[in-house]
Amino acid sequence: MANSSEPSSSLSFTSSSHVSNGSISHNFSSFGSESVPSLEVISLSKLSSNLEQLLVDSGCDYSDADIIVEGISVGVHRCILASRSSFFCDLFKQKKGSSGKESRPKYCMSDLLPYGDVGYEAFLVFLSYVYTGKLKPSPMEVSTCVHNVCAHDACRPAINFVVELMYASSIFQMPDLVSIFQRRLLNFVGKALADDVIPILVVAFHCQLSQLIAQCIERVARSDIDSISLEKGLPDEVIEKIKILRRNSQQDSDPNMPAVDPLHEKRIRRIHKALDSDDVELVKLLLKESAITLDEANALHYAAAYCDPKVVTEVLGLGLADVNLRNSRGYTVLHIAVMRKEPSIIVLLLTKGARASELTSDGQSAVSICRRLTRPKDYHSKTEQGQEANKDRICIDVLEREMRRNPMAGVTSISSQIMPDDLHMKLLNLENRGNISKTFPID
């Protein structure tokens, strides 16, 4: 991030003995009573500025290859990348890339990554460092959220952007950058919500960052994140370590605490597996056989988080689930749904009486959760005719619309009085046009 402890003017490419961890110390020579920069520092600074022109000046495009990132072609100079990164050195030796205009080789970013994602803006920051040795500030539109009171020091977009930079630094073999971004991610671990530590733990595992892995595992083990969420988001090896820590902690705190009923847990997991298979009829059968209710299994929470929207519709259609039920973490089904940012599920829950004003144990409403997960780039993205609608904007606008309708919701949500078919038709029209203001006018 821009407020990192690493100076933005740090230089990494040099043979000087003063270089450490990707930065060059400010080396000064005495000249009379004043100190002046050494010739080496001046030369490196000038070299950095000159190389930067290759990236920022469209009039001097001498690039000889393209890397396609999120559908955007980024011109690169293979000689520079190969000299700075052994990954690219090996890549350019082995693979010529697909030929484009004037036989320029093209490389697709997704083909270069064995795991993880690196977006366009993150790649530009990485590329700038490769060329100049300077770490640019993170672009606000992709490293902050649209929550109006967020400090952006540990929200999900801020974390995700550094995670992308870590993937690029590790996969493309830039150890100095790996060191920088590991420190930033370590700083996030203590500040972030427990759920937001999960992507940090995943990148730490893939990049084999032992210190970061240890701190993340400890933080997650102390949290109330349920085992199902862990299994959906983490490698088995990491999950086992978290479970061991939790068992040891539980025994230390209360050795007489009753153990979880394995049969009860097994029956709940069968219901979840049936939902994964889109088999609501099997769910009904399992409910009868096991004498477990949908609410005991948090089946609606599970469906809203992981299943196809039609499954959510069918589960609600059974009429056996409380749409405002809180799970063990204090989250309602709507809180879970907004984390997924699927407009059709959010609208469906609202039509069935979900209360948008319900708060989590830490005081977050559904719309504040959604805003904290959304980048300005995605929120303000314009949708062209025939393109997929801006789901990030739709989710926030629908929830804010509901809050304006009913800021002090009682037992029944006002939007539950709207005909479900009518609201679903509005959503369909909205997604087809990609224009929230026409369907949900601002009051």
Side-chain angles (χ1 to χ4, degrees):
M1 305 299 298
N3 60 354
S4 170
S5 59
E6 290 77 25
S8 62
S9 62
S10 61
L11 295 169
S12 68
F13 49 87
T14 176
S15 58
S16 169
S17 60
H18 297 288
V19 174
S20 176
N21 291 330
S23 63
I24 181 170
S25 61
H26 293 284
N27 183 18
F28 294 92
S29 302
S30 296
F31 184 77
S33 59
E34 299 180 355
S35 294
V36 296
S38 71
L39 180 60
E40 181 181 356
V41 173
I42 295 174
S43 298
L44 285 172
S45 180
K46 186 173 182 180
L47 173 61
S48 174
S49 298
N50 290 342
L51 289 174
E52 188 174 21
Q53 292 303 307
L54 295 175
L55 294 175
V56 301
D57 188 353
S58 58
C60 60
D61 181 12
Y62 303 110
S63 59
D64 60 357
D66 295 294
I67 296 179
I68 312 301
V69 190
E70 295 183 336
I72 304 172
S73 182
V74 180
V76 298
H77 304 76
R78 284 178 290 176
C79 59
I80 296 178
L81 266 64
S83 66
R84 297 278 282 132
S85 161
S86 57
F87 173 92
F88 284 110
C89 182
D90 294 338
L91 175 71
F92 298 146
K93 284 180 181 178
Q94 298 169 7
K95 297 182 180 180
K96 300 299 183 181
S98 59
S99 296
K101 293 181 179 179
E102 301 176 357
S103 300
R104 284 166 61 105
K106 292 182 178 290
Y107 305 87
C108 184
M109 176 64 74
S110 59
D111 294 336
L112 304 180
L113 305 175
Y115 43 75
D117 297 301
V118 176
Y120 174 72
E121 290 82 5
F123 183 62
L124 290 187
V125 171
F126 170 83
L127 201 62
S128 175
Y129 183 86
V130 170
Y131 276 63
T132 70
K134 298 178 182 179
L135 194 55
K136 294 175 59 177
S138 300
M140 296 288 286
E141 67 271 16
V142 290
S143 62
T144 62
C145 68
V146 294
H147 197 301
N148 57 1
V149 296
C150 181
H152 310 304
D153 58 346
C155 57
R156 181 61 75 90
I159 290 172
N160 285 347
F161 190 73
V162 180
V163 165
E164 289 181 24
L165 287 169
M166 175 59 83
Y167 273 126
S169 304
S170 176
I171 293 170
F172 300 147
Q173 299 175 25
M174 296 288 291
D176 45 351
L177 275 181
V178 169
S179 177
I180 291 171
F181 294 128
Q182 178 172 217
R183 290 196 296 274
R184 292 192 184 182
L185 292 174
L186 283 167
N187 184 51
F188 282 138
V189 173
K191 297 179 179 179
L193 297 174
D195 295 273
D196 295 338
V197 176
I198 298 297
I200 301 176
L201 182 47
V202 172
V203 72
F205 175 81
H206 285 304
C207 299
Q208 300 180 348
L209 307 171
S210 57
Q211 181 185 2
L212 186 56
I213 291 173
Q215 290 208 17
C216 288
I217 286 178
E218 182 181 353
R219 173 69 198 285
V220 172
R222 289 188 284 105
S223 75
D224 60 354
I225 300 178
D226 58 88
S227 58
I228 293 172
S229 298
L230 296 180
E231 291 167 7
K232 292 288 185 179
L234 293 172
D236 293 340
E237 177 183 332
V238 173
I239 295 171
E240 187 57 34
K241 292 180 180 179
I242 293 172
K243 288 181 177 179
I244 291 172
L245 281 178
R246 284 182 167 180
R247 283 197 297 267
N248 294 339
S249 176
Q250 180 178 324
Q251 290 172 359
D252 292 339
S253 60
D254 188 359
N256 297 320
M257 182 178 293
V260 176
D261 182 357
L263 180 59
H264 185 79
E265 289 293 303
K266 184 177 181 180
R267 288 170 174 172
I268 289 177
R269 288 184 178 273
R270 283 178 177 173
I271 293 173
H272 292 168
K273 287 182 179 180
L275 290 171
D276 286 333
S277 302
D278 298 350
D279 195 340
V280 178
E281 288 300 317
L282 177 57
V283 170
K284 292 166 62 177
L285 180 62
L286 292 171
L287 292 175
K288 292 179 181 179
E289 290 181 348
S290 63
I292 291 178
T293 67
L294 283 178
D295 288 346
E296 285 178 310
N298 284 319
L300 196 50
H301 287 82
Y302 187 91
Y306 306 114
C307 300
D308 189 274
K310 73 179 182 64
V311 175
V312 181
T313 302
E314 293 177 11
V315 172
L316 283 167
L318 297 177
L320 302 173
D322 179 0
V323 73
N324 288 300
L325 178 73
R326 291 179 180 271
N327 63 12
S328 61
R329 304 184 66 196
Y331 292 157
T332 67
V333 181
L334 187 60
H335 293 148
I336 297 297
V338 298
M339 295 178 189
R340 181 175 173 179
K341 295 196 289 188
E342 175 52 57
S344 61
I345 295 178
I346 292 173
V347 169
L348 176 63
L349 293 172
L350 291 174
T351 64
K352 293 297 184 179
R355 295 190 289 269
S357 59
E358 292 284 338
L359 303 180
T360 63
S361 57
D362 59 350
Q364 296 293 310
S365 67
V367 68
S368 64
I369 292 172
C370 200
R371 277 190 166 276
R372 196 176 179 279
L373 294 172
T374 302
R375 307 181 303 176
K377 175 184 178 180
D378 301 321
Y379 182 77
H380 297 295
S381 174
K382 294 182 179 180
T383 304
E384 302 295 334
Q385 185 87 21
Q387 291 183 342
E388 184 179 3
N390 184 341
K391 290 188 175 183
D392 296 87
R393 181 65 178 264
I394 292 172
C395 291
I396 292 173
D397 285 359
V398 166
L399 290 165
E400 290 186 339
R401 169 77 173 178
E402 176 64 14
M403 292 293 285
R404 288 195 297 271
R405 287 177 183 273
N406 198 12
M408 302 297 291
V411 175
T412 304
S413 171
I414 288 179
S415 59
S416 66
Q417 301 169 12
I418 303 174
M419 290 296 293
D421 289 343
D422 177 58
L423 194 48
H424 275 296
M425 184 59 68
K426 287 183 178 181
L427 178 65
L428 180 62
N429 292 336
L430 174 65
E431 291 185 332
N432 287 339
R433 295 202 306 267
N435 187 347
I436 186 72
S437 61
K438 293 182 181 179
T439 305
F440 293 95
I442 301 299
D443 292 340

